[in-house]
Amino acid sequence: MKKKMVGLMLCACTALAAAGCGGKKFDNPDRGEALIMATNAAFEPYEYYDEGGQVTGIDVEIAQALADKLGLTLEVEDMEFESIISAVNSGKAHIGVAGMTVTEDRLANVDFTDSYTTSRQVIIVQEGSAITGADDLQGKTIGVQTGTTGDLFASDVEDATMDRYSKGMDAVLALQDGKVDAVVIDSEPAKQFVAKANGLIILEEEFAVEEYAIAVAKGNEELLDDLDKALDAIIADGTVKGIIDKYINAE
Ligand code: ARG
C-alpha cells in the first residue's frame, strides 16, 4: 500500500513537472535567475560545440547578450531540433534559439520575438550533379534535418523521396556517400557542412528566404515584451551585427 502511494506521488510530480510545475509554465525568471535556452547544437555557425565542449555560436552569443540586458544568467539545453517547441511550451526552457525560422505553423504553437537575422534555404549536390536548381529535384531523394523548414519545403517537391536525419551534417554525409541526391538546408550551416565534406557544392539558386527569431511559450507576453525590447536595444547598438560578423565572414 505504502509503495503504491509513493508510485502515485511520483506520477503526480512528473505530471506537474511536465506541465512546468503546476501552472508555473508562464513564469518569467527573476533577476539573477537562469534564462534557459533550448537549442540543437549541431548547426554551425548558429550553435555548435567548440573544441572545449562548450556550446557556442551566433545564437548563444545573442541569447547571452539578451540575458545580460535582462539581468539573467544563460543556461543552454541541447536537444533534438524537433523537441525545442515543446520544451518551450512545457516550461522546460524559456526560449528556443536555434536558427529557427518563423513559420505560420509554428506560430500556432509558440510566439516569436522580432527577427534577428534573415537566412535562406539552399540546395547542396555532388559536384557535376545533373541537379542545377529546385526544378530538378522532382522525383529525387532529398536529405534534410527532421522537422526543419528544409524538410517542409523538400516535402512539397513532386515525387521526391524524403530522407530525414536528426542532424544536418548526417544528411550532408549521406549526400557525399551518394545515398541521397540533394540536401536542402539553411545557407550558413550548408557552407560549414560542405567545407567538412568532399566533392559537394551549393547551388546558387535560393530556395526560400526566411527570418530567424526566438520562440517563447504561447501567451507569455511579458517575456516576449522583455525580449523584444532587449533585442531592439542590442540590434540598435550594433551588438547583433558584431556577433554575426564574428562568425560569418563578409564576402
Ligand atoms: N531554419 C530551419 C528551421 O527553422 C532550420 C533550423 C535548424 N536549427 C538547428 N539548430 N538545428 O527549421
Side-chain angles (χ1 to χ4, degrees):
M1 182 66 203
K2 223 176 180 183
K3 253 192 184 152
K4 232 184 195 160
M5 281 294 290
V6 173
L8 279 175
M9 276 168 63
L10 275 178
C11 272
C13 288
T14 330
L16 280 179
C21 293
K24 273 187 77 182
K25 77 174 202 174
F26 292 138
D27 276 14
N28 298 337
D30 291 325
R31 273 183 98 77
E33 278 182 8
L35 178 70
I36 304 171
M37 157 181 170
T39 196
N40 171 248
F43 205 62
E44 194 175 346
Y46 297 98
E47 44 267 334
Y48 59 99
Y49 284 87
D50 66 15
E51 273 148 32
Q54 286 281 105
V55 179
T56 184
I58 292 170
D59 287 345
V60 182
E61 290 207 25
I62 289 176
Q64 182 64 61
L66 292 174
D68 290 347
K69 276 258 173 250
L70 299 175
L72 303 166
T73 59
L74 183 72
E75 238 173 63
V76 180
E77 288 266 359
D78 185 17
M79 61 186 72
E80 295 290 317
F81 182 72
E82 275 193 300
S83 307
I84 295 173
I85 286 185
S86 59
V88 164
N89 270 332
S90 70
K92 205 175 160 238
H94 300 106
I95 53 175
V97 200
M100 194 181 278
T101 305
V102 180
T103 68
E104 283 302 315
D105 279 358
R106 288 177 185 158
L107 277 168
N109 297 309
V110 276
D111 289 332
F112 280 104
T113 61
D114 295 331
S115 165
Y116 60 89
T117 194
T118 48
S119 173
R120 57 203 182 91
Q121 293 294 309
V122 293
I123 300 166
I124 310 174
V125 292
Q126 284 193 354
E127 273 165 22
S129 166
I131 300 170
T132 59
D135 289 344
D136 300 327
L137 289 174
Q138 261 190 40
K140 297 288 193 287
T141 302
I142 309 173
V144 294
Q145 183 182 16
T146 313
T148 60
T149 48
D151 185 353
L152 206 74
F153 293 128
S155 300
D156 274 348
V157 175
E158 223 177 297
D159 298 326
T161 305
M162 299 300 300
D163 212 347
R164 298 186 169 89
Y165 296 85
S166 91
K167 290 195 171 94
M169 186 62 197
D170 290 341
V172 172
L173 291 174
L175 174 63
Q176 173 187 272
D177 295 344
K179 288 182 194 141
V180 302
D181 301 311
V183 168
V184 177
I185 202 153
D186 304 50
S187 52
E188 289 306 324
K191 289 180 199 164
Q192 303 285 340
F193 295 152
V194 163
K196 289 193 181 95
N198 287 315
L200 303 182
I201 54 161
I202 298 170
L203 298 182
E204 301 260 299
E205 182 189 354
E206 49 185 57
F207 210 44
V209 178
E210 314 187 316
E211 298 289 336
Y212 286 174
I214 298 168
V216 176
K218 192 112 202 105
N220 191 349
E221 271 161 38
E222 201 182 319
L223 182 57
L224 190 64
D225 264 16
D226 286 350
L227 288 169
D228 270 335
K229 278 188 198 120
L231 187 58
D232 250 15
I234 64 167
I235 289 173
D237 72 7
T239 303
V240 169
K241 184 176 186 311
I243 293 168
I244 293 173
D245 286 350
K246 179 175 151 192
Y247 288 89
I248 301 174
N249 301 327
E251 276 145 59

